[in-house]
Amino acid sequence: MNLLPCENINEYPYVTAHFTTREGGVSQSPYGTLNLAFHVGDTEEDVVENHRLLGEKLNYNPRRLIHMRQIHSDIVTVVSSTMNFESPPQCDALITNRVNVPLMVMSADCTPVLIYDPKNHAIGAVHAGRAGALKSIVPKTLHAMEKHFGTSPEEVLITLGPSIHGCCYEINETIADDVKEKGYENALLHQKEKVYLDVNTILYLQLRAMRVSSRCIESASHCTSCHNGDYFSYRADHQRTGRIAGVIVLRSLPA
Ligand SMILES: [Zn+2]
């Protein structure tokens, strides 16, 4: 199984954070092979098996994993003891300080974001596509972590996972105007009468505005559309495709 470890977060001993790729699962085309989403038309048993394989590889119980019914919103959910794998909450960010409860964000072009607060031993998983980014889902997640766990944005580590980059994400003028109006003109790229959007630039600007240090922000260099052989891409695969995931889990601190 080919996983991308979050180098900055994994330097700490009681947390692990990774992003998946297409490789290492049992799903058939167009979900080949490590699709982790149930809602995309893949065979349910295959998705369950993929979750089992990933849990085995990363040493967690897949039944304890919390994922989301993602809706491109700015809703942040604090994980509670009543939540379970079978009934994921409808939201686009999860936060917790509970140990051995893995958090998962799924994506196919949108940016999956993983957050670790080493001081308060708390984590977050965020789904940040264009809509979520423009609704400030990542700053709202940091504010929620501040409120619930005492997190200070200056002290978190953040990794932006594989997503579609400005090289491939063409947008129309209406969206470009909206992006401009919200103050993110620097995220727009103009090429041969076409406009492209780099969502990660928006996320980066928002993080810097919250005083997250640039050395604490790690970014997976791969564009999911350019590297469609390695990642699911909603655009490059013409919408029928699987989902990669970012998964982060806290371990018990020594007593
Ligand atoms: Zn690209």
Side-chain angles (χ1 to χ4, degrees), residues 164-168 223-227:
I164 194 165
H165 292 186
C167 43
C168 294
C223 165
T224 43
S225 179
C226 289
H227 295 268

Side-chain angles (χ1 to χ4, degrees), residues 82-113:
T82 56
M83 284 179 193
N84 58 47
F85 183 80
E86 279 72 27
S87 44
Q90 184 166 293
C91 60
D92 287 274
L94 293 168
I95 59 172
T96 195
N97 61 356
R98 303 165 72 90
V99 298
N100 298 318
V101 178
L103 306 186
M104 177 176 280
V105 46
M106 299 184 202
S107 65
D109 288 345
C110 289
T111 307
V113 183

Side-chain angles (χ1 to χ4, degrees), residues 34-253:
L34 192 65
N35 165 47
L36 293 156
F38 289 95
H39 69 284
V40 293
D42 195 359
T43 313
E44 189 174 333
E45 302 89 80
D46 288 352
V47 183
V48 169
E49 176 62 7
N50 289 342
H51 275 277
R52 192 192 67 76
L53 290 166
L54 183 61
E56 190 175 78
K57 175 83 180 177
L58 292 177
N59 190 29
Y60 64 75
N61 178 355
R63 311 307 303 166
R64 299 204 67 188
L65 179 125
I66 307 297
H67 55 113
M68 303 176 261
R69 284 204 290 132
Q70 299 168 181
I71 50 169
H72 301 279
S73 73
D74 59 355
I75 302 170
V76 182
T77 297
V78 186
V79 172
S80 73
S81 58
T82 56
M83 284 179 193
N84 58 47
F85 183 80
E86 279 72 27
S87 44
Q90 184 166 293
C91 60
D92 287 274
L94 293 168
I95 59 172
T96 195
N97 61 356
R98 303 165 72 90
V99 298
N100 298 318
V101 178
L103 306 186
M104 177 176 280
V105 46
M106 299 184 202
S107 65
D109 288 345
C110 289
T111 307
V113 183
L114 298 177
I115 304 172
Y116 178 50
D117 167 3
K119 193 173 175 196
N120 298 287
H121 206 47
I123 53 176
V126 189
H127 171 238
R130 167 176 55 87
L134 292 176
K135 291 174 189 165
S136 300
I137 180 81
V138 174
K140 284 174 185 173
T141 305
L142 289 172
H143 286 307
M145 289 179 73
E146 190 169 10
K147 179 178 163 199
H148 291 274
F149 312 124
T151 298
S152 153
E154 289 99 324
E155 290 170 335
V156 295
L157 299 165
I158 298 198
T159 306
L160 311 181
S163 65
I164 194 165
H165 292 186
C167 43
C168 294
Y169 189 10
E170 189 187 344
I171 55 169
N172 63 37
E173 285 297 338
T174 313
I175 295 172
D177 287 345
D178 188 30
V179 171
K180 238 182 272 178
E181 219 166 89
K182 292 192 161 79
Y184 303 115
E185 193 163 0
N186 288 348
L188 298 173
L189 296 99
H190 300 269
Q191 215 166 53
K192 293 182 191 158
E193 328 244 306
K194 291 178 176 174
V195 195
Y196 296 83
L197 175 64
D198 193 72
V199 172
N200 284 359
T201 299
I202 300 178
L203 300 178
Y204 188 80
L205 291 169
Q206 292 174 337
L207 289 169
R208 293 294 293 129
M210 289 195 76
R211 299 154 57 100
V212 176
S213 156
S214 54
R215 66 186 165 76
C216 294
I217 307 170
E218 186 176 274
S219 167
S221 58
H222 291 164
C223 165
T224 43
S225 179
C226 289
H227 295 268
N228 187 219
D230 296 324
Y231 307 101
F232 300 112
S233 170
Y234 190 77
R235 289 205 159 199
D237 292 322
H238 308 291
Q239 306 181 5
R240 216 166 139 251
T241 191
R243 297 290 181 272
I244 58 161
V247 57
I248 183 164
V249 55
L250 289 173
R251 306 299 184 181
S252 313
L253 294 168

